[in-house]
Amino acid sequence: MRLLIANFDKQSIVSQEEVIGAVRRLPKSHYANIQAIRYDPKRTLATAVSALQNRPSSPRTSGFFYHEHEYGLSVIVLFRFRSRKEFHHILYHEIGHFVFLKVLQQGLRDEWFSLRRGEKRCVSHEARRNAREDFAETYAYYCTTPVRLSTVPRKRAFIRDSVFQGITLEPLSP
């Protein structure tokens, strides 16, 4: 895996090996072009990126996915998590953003937008914000707590069949 895992030694909830294991559960295409996953509790990278993009960084977020188009740089940054469960959800949510933007073909993204208009229910409050957040949340729950997707069966089927090509992930260890 050519993926930089950085600064996870600055916390005691998950080890660097656990981060690597969490990523390797996924199909390789879902992370192959991510260059780094970084723990940044002081939000230094978020502050710098926000300044470059000339938009404020929300103090409520727990992580973000950043893609720099000119150089093709894709980075996931996690700021805070209070448990292994929360770590996994945030990590997979941010990887979900990467998958939606950089892995899915436009036709599948269009299909998601259409599906979202037809299936009004969302898996979480965060998912109600917009189609990209809905996808990232649905992706994260597929990876962590797939039973939660029973309330959104068409979205669950889309993630399972179109995004994961029928692959069911092994359950996370407690």
Side-chain angles (χ1 to χ4, degrees), residues 69-85:
H69 296 282
E70 187 174 341
Y71 300 104
L73 177 67
S74 293
V75 176
I76 290 174
V77 181
L78 282 71
F79 308 127
R80 62 180 166 84
F81 45 89
R82 295 175 294 271
S83 67
R84 292 179 78 243
K85 181 178 179 178

Side-chain angles (χ1 to χ4, degrees), residues 50-68:
S50 293
L52 288 171
Q53 295 176 333
N54 199 25
R55 59 180 192 189
S57 172
S58 171
R60 296 182 322 208
T61 62
S62 299
F64 76 97
F65 158 66
Y66 173 71
H67 179 75
E68 198 288 319

Side-chain angles (χ1 to χ4, degrees), residues 8 10 40 44 51 53 64 66 69 81 83 87 89 97 102 108 120 125 127 130 137 143 149 167 173:
F8 283 88
K10 307 284 187 239
D40 182 20
T44 51
Q53 295 176 333
F64 76 97
Y66 173 71
H69 296 282
F81 45 89
S83 67
F87 157 77
H89 186 85
H97 281 301
K102 303 308 294 174
L108 286 176
K120 300 290 186 198
H125 180 72
N130 59 53
E137 280 289 276
C143 294
L149 301 181
I167 294 171
S173 58

Side-chain angles (χ1 to χ4, degrees), residues 9-134:
D9 59 340
K10 307 284 187 239
Q11 51 77 49
S12 60
I13 296 172
V14 294
S15 67
Q16 181 168 321
E17 291 74 27
E18 287 176 286
V19 178
I20 293 167
V23 172
R24 284 195 171 148
R25 292 178 66 231
L26 303 173
K28 189 170 184 170
S29 64
H30 290 205
Y31 63 85
N33 292 315
I34 297 173
Q35 284 75 34
I37 298 175
R38 179 182 181 88
Y39 178 63
D40 182 20
K42 294 183 180 178
R43 296 174 171 267
T44 51
L45 189 55
T47 302
V49 168
S50 293
L52 288 171
Q53 295 176 333
N54 199 25
R55 59 180 192 189
S57 172
S58 171
R60 296 182 322 208
T61 62
S62 299
F64 76 97
F65 158 66
Y66 173 71
H67 179 75
E68 198 288 319
H69 296 282
E70 187 174 341
Y71 300 104
L73 177 67
S74 293
V75 176
I76 290 174
V77 181
L78 282 71
F79 308 127
R80 62 180 166 84
F81 45 89
R82 295 175 294 271
S83 67
R84 292 179 78 243
K85 181 178 179 178
E86 188 176 25
F87 157 77
H88 283 103
H89 186 85
I90 296 165
L91 175 68
Y92 292 133
H93 175 100
E94 299 308 332
I95 291 174
H97 281 301
F98 172 80
V99 169
F100 188 79
L101 187 66
K102 303 308 294 174
V103 176
L104 293 186
Q105 298 294 320
Q106 184 62 50
L108 286 176
R109 289 193 298 271
D110 292 343
E111 190 177 330
W112 178 261
F113 287 119
S114 176
L115 176 66
R116 186 171 191 269
R117 283 190 295 275
E119 188 170 303
K120 300 290 186 198
R121 296 188 81 174
C122 291
V123 72
S124 71
H125 180 72
E126 178 72 15
R128 293 183 193 135
R129 288 183 56 207
N130 59 53
R132 290 181 307 277
E133 291 301 330
D134 190 14

